[in-house]
Amino acid sequence: MNKTIKKIGLILVIIILLPAVFLIVNELASFNENEKVLEKIYSGQLEAILFSVNQYSEDVAGSWATKVDVFLDELGNVSARSSYEKIDSFFVELPSLVGFFIADSIKDSQLDFFSSLRENQLVDEDYDSLNIVAKNLLQDNQKIITRLFTYKRGGYRKIEPVENKFVNQTSVLIFIEETPDKITRLIGLILDPNEFVYRILSPKIQEIAEQDFVISVQNPKVNFAYNSTKDFEVTDLQQERALWIFPEYTVGISLVGKTIEDLVQQRVITNIILISLLTSILILGVWIVYRNVKREVQLAQIKSDFVSNVSHELRTPLALISMFSETLEMDRVKSDEKKKEYYKIISREANRLGKIVNSILNFSKMEAGKRKYNFVESYINDVAENVCSSYKFHLEHLGFTFSLVKDETIPILKLDEEAVSEAIVNLVDNAVKYSGDNKEIKIHTGKENNYAFVEVEDRGIGIPEKDQKKIFDKFFRVSSGNIHNVKGSGLGLSIVKHIMDAHKGKIELFSEVNKGSKFRLLFPFNSGKH
Ligand code: ADP
């Protein structure tokens, strides 16, 4: 039987648990990869956002370059100082543009300047010093400028930031344009980057960032920091790139509240929790199935044992009865004494047969829930007394010392006397069957809390602790006991339990292997009151 159960266990493990474990291990193993991919996607997304901020600022710079070019064309050859109104309104349109200069070539010695500052705020000396700075700037950036000219010849206008040596906190973007009469000219936009970030980039950044991101533009050199969200630690930025048009400035981004690692970790934790939950449910399920199957297999085994047991039990008395009755029938027994002995054997065996059949019938009635109980007011002492007096002779004949000690103060209870006698008889029967050489049986009645009890005590083989609960199950017999020598069906105690349940009572068992057992039947004082 153990083999079958082990086999079933193995099959369950193989067909359910193994694939599941495989799946789970696989899932756990692919976690790392998945999370890496996820992290990559996240960073890609952040990168794309930074790219779009850069793209936008470059677009703005480009459109301004065009505007400046168009403006210059419109202004034609008019001297810069003569169209103040026009110049003023032009600069109002392009906030953060401080001014721009125009040169014919790198070598140009007299550059034209346009400034957002009103004319009366700039004096000739200013223009002179600006001229020198701008000329130096052109000299310093010859390489870039030559490249820009090449681009232009190829029909492509590029805008390049150049190192700024103008006024502090401004940046210069240069590009090449043509006048209407196709003469190339170099234009340098002088911008205030801080202003540019606040006035031009900020609305765009706010729009991109929304609630999900913090976008920050910084230039530690000039102590500048702009954040799309006010309460944000600048050190938390997850990605940072230089701004194309202002290389000294960086634009950085971060997820609001949490980092990518947080997000990924959160996902890993949720997944692991889910998987562990799933595994636990699976293991629980397999365990429940295994337990049920095991129970069924054991029950099937117990039932088949029961059938062979019972048929053996029935066959022995039947064989004895038929043997002795045949001997008597043939008149082979001469002495009266012998005859009497044979009759005795026949009646004893018939009795035993009757008992077995009775207990089987009783049991099947109980199982079907058909046994009726008849509760009447009775004294438990009387019931115990009756059992004792009918058994005393028989037990003493078998060599037992047998005693009954009664507690006379037990109140009247509602009992089914016949059923209670049957329960006590079953206990006494067992005490006889499972006693070794120490043949002593005691019956006690008494009170405990709100219960009256009858207990049957023997000094027999005892019951191992692990089996003490199981002996009340139907068909169960302790395998380590002498079940092969002692006849039994494994029904007696389950009948006792059934009877006690009907009385709303309890059974207590105190037993020690090789020392003896004590079965105590407890009846509540309000027993039988339904
Ligand atoms: P059985 O017909 O086998 O006696 P029971 O239901 O009466 O069936 O008892 C179940 C098992 O409990 C017995 O097979 C025996 O192993 C154990 N048992 C019952 N009573 C005693 C006892 N007084 N001493 C030792 N073992 C006992």
Side-chain angles (χ1 to χ4, degrees):
M1 177 177 70
N2 266 344
K3 259 192 187 167
T4 326
I5 292 174
K6 271 187 195 155
K7 223 196 246 165
I8 290 169
L10 202 71
I11 290 172
L12 278 178
V13 166
I14 289 175
I15 63 170
I16 301 179
L17 226 46
L18 268 192
V21 165
F22 178 75
L23 258 179
I24 287 162
V25 168
N26 188 39
E27 182 76 358
L28 283 174
S30 60
F31 256 173
N32 237 342
E33 261 165 50
N34 291 347
E35 301 320 329
K36 265 189 208 149
V37 171
L38 215 90
E39 214 169 318
K40 232 172 155 182
I41 293 172
Y42 272 132
S43 354
Q45 216 178 8
L46 297 190
E47 176 105 41
I49 293 175
L50 293 186
F51 187 87
S52 74
V53 173
N54 253 327
Q55 190 71 56
Y56 177 74
S57 46
E58 200 178 64
D59 287 351
V60 172
S63 80
W64 286 12
T66 310
K67 276 187 183 155
V68 168
D69 189 44
V70 171
F71 169 72
L72 285 174
D73 291 349
E74 281 172 7
L75 223 54
N77 291 326
V78 179
S79 132
R81 292 158 205 224
S82 58
S83 339
Y84 301 137
E85 298 272 305
K86 206 165 179 165
I87 295 171
D88 268 355
S89 63
F90 175 72
F91 277 106
V92 167
E93 257 180 61
L94 309 181
S96 83
L97 181 66
V98 180
F100 53 90
F101 59 83
I102 308 133
D104 299 338
S105 67
I106 301 173
K107 305 239 159 31
D108 193 351
S109 58
Q110 195 55 54
L111 289 79
D112 272 340
F113 279 94
F114 290 81
S115 165
S116 62
L117 294 176
R118 277 192 169 273
E119 187 61 11
N120 54 12
Q121 288 175 279
L122 283 174
V123 288
D124 279 350
E125 284 90 78
D126 289 331
Y127 279 105
D128 290 344
S129 63
L130 280 177
N131 205 29
I132 295 171
V133 179
K135 272 197 318 201
N136 283 340
L137 186 137
L138 296 185
Q139 288 301 320
D140 290 348
N141 292 288
Q142 281 195 37
K143 255 193 190 164
I144 297 177
I145 295 166
T146 322
R147 207 167 57 222
L148 290 182
F149 272 111
T150 320
Y151 283 145
K152 190 63 200 173
R153 276 196 296 279
Y156 170 58
R157 184 194 72 188
K158 196 165 175 351
I159 300 171
E160 279 284 350
V162 287
E163 212 185 320
N164 166 38
K165 290 195 175 149
F166 272 88
V167 195
N168 262 353
Q169 311 229 347
T170 58
S171 292
V172 175
L173 296 174
I174 51 172
F175 60 96
I176 315 292
E177 272 302 349
E178 279 176 349
T179 59
D181 15 335
K182 302 284 175 207
I183 300 167
T184 47
R185 59 185 173 199
L186 183 147
I187 301 172
L189 302 179
I190 306 161
L191 292 155
D192 177 344
N194 296 2
E195 262 314 282
F196 186 85
V197 172
Y198 281 127
R199 307 278 298 271
I200 312 296
L201 275 189
S202 164
K204 184 68 182 173
I205 285 177
Q206 295 282 354
E207 182 195 317
I208 297 174
E210 280 187 343
Q211 307 298 319
D212 308 328
F213 304 102
V214 183
I215 296 177
S216 159
V217 181
Q218 298 173 20
N219 182 358
K221 274 193 199 157
V222 295
N223 228 346
F224 173 82
Y226 160 82
N227 287 330
S228 64
T229 306
K230 280 186 189 67
D231 39 57
F232 181 69
E233 284 277 323
V234 176
T235 47
D236 289 349
L237 288 176
Q238 281 163 20
Q239 278 195 34
E240 246 181 318
R241 295 282 176 274
L243 262 184
W244 298 338
I245 58 167
F246 307 129
E248 304 220 306
Y249 286 68
T250 56
V251 54
I253 187 163
S254 182
L255 286 160
V256 168
K258 36 194 145 157
T259 61
I260 294 178
E261 287 84 50
D262 282 344
L263 276 185
V264 169
Q265 210 171 347
Q266 218 170 34
R267 262 180 52 93
V268 171
I269 289 173
T270 334
N271 281 352
I272 287 181
I273 289 177
L274 277 181
I275 284 186
S276 337
L277 209 75
L278 205 77
T279 319
S280 323
I281 292 173
L282 213 73
I283 290 174
L284 191 79
V286 167
W287 182 74
I288 289 173
V289 171
Y290 174 74
R291 213 186 47 173
N292 279 338
V293 169
K294 186 175 158 188
R295 203 180 282 157
E296 285 305 313
V297 170
Q298 277 171 342
L299 199 69
Q301 176 67 31
I302 281 172
K303 274 184 183 160
S304 87
D305 284 357
F306 168 74
V307 171
S308 71
N309 246 329
V310 167
S311 36
H312 180 80
E313 289 257 299
L314 294 174
R315 215 171 318 123
T316 327
L318 274 178
L320 287 174
I321 290 171
S322 75
M323 185 178 87
F324 286 108
S325 52
E326 267 171 34
T327 320
L328 287 170
E329 199 180 38
M330 288 176 194
D331 240 356
R332 289 220 190 106
V333 190
K334 295 294 170 234
S335 86
D336 273 357
E337 216 172 303
K338 263 270 176 281
K339 271 188 191 160
K340 216 171 169 187
E341 194 191 323
Y342 286 2
Y343 283 131
K344 220 166 149 189
I345 292 174
I346 290 173
S347 90
R348 193 189 67 205
E349 292 304 314
N351 226 339
R352 201 169 118 192
L353 210 56
K355 253 193 195 163
I356 296 169
V357 172
N358 244 347
S359 75
I360 294 174
L361 284 179
N362 264 347
F363 175 75
S364 56
K365 252 193 200 165
M366 281 175 183
E367 280 284 277
K370 282 189 188 145
R371 176 157 183 176
K372 292 270 173 292
Y373 289 91
N374 180 23
F375 296 100
V376 290
E377 299 206 323
S378 9
Y379 285 103
I380 188 97
N381 279 343
D382 293 349
V383 181
E385 180 84 62
N386 280 338
V387 173
C388 285
S389 53
S390 31
Y391 264 76
K392 197 170 175 55
F393 175 75
H394 173 63
L395 290 182
E396 282 174 354
H397 186 69
L398 290 174
F400 279 89
T401 20
F402 184 58
S403 61
L404 167 68
V405 179
K406 293 182 289 185
D407 176 349
E408 298 293 353
T409 63
I410 298 175
I412 204 160
L413 300 170
K414 280 213 151 184
L415 306 171
D416 178 326
E417 289 185 21
E418 202 186 318
V420 175
S421 313
E422 190 184 336
I424 301 173
V425 167
N426 276 343
L427 294 184
V428 174
D429 260 352
N430 281 349
V432 172
K433 283 198 290 188
Y434 303 108
S435 278
D437 297 332
N438 208 341
K439 299 188 171 201
E440 191 182 333
I441 296 174
K442 284 187 206 157
I443 299 186
H444 273 250
T445 63
K447 284 183 304 203
E448 187 185 86
N449 300 327
N450 275 331
Y451 289 87
F453 67 79
V454 192
E455 66 185 23
V456 178
E457 187 178 358
D458 63 57
R459 300 213 177 279
I461 60 169
I463 302 157
E465 179 119 20
K466 67 175 172 56
D467 293 324
Q468 291 189 4
K469 273 219 172 89
K470 295 190 206 154
I471 53 170
F472 297 98
D473 293 347
K474 55 191 171 189
F475 312 128
F476 184 85
R477 308 194 73 208
V478 177
S479 54
S480 57
N482 48 355
I483 43 168
H484 299 295
N485 307 326
V486 180
K487 309 275 177 297
S489 54
L491 290 181
L493 286 181
S494 66
I495 292 174
V496 174
K497 181 159 187 328
H498 203 284
I499 293 170
M500 290 314 291
D501 287 346
H503 284 82
K504 295 198 163 53
K506 301 188 289 188
I507 306 172
E508 283 172 2
L509 167 61
F510 313 90
S511 183
E512 232 180 290
V513 174
N514 292 330
K515 293 229 168 103
S517 313
K518 182 159 83 177
F519 286 84
R520 180 179 282 184
L521 308 180
L522 296 115
F523 300 86
F525 285 151
N526 57 0
S527 163
K529 283 190 189 126
H530 295 289

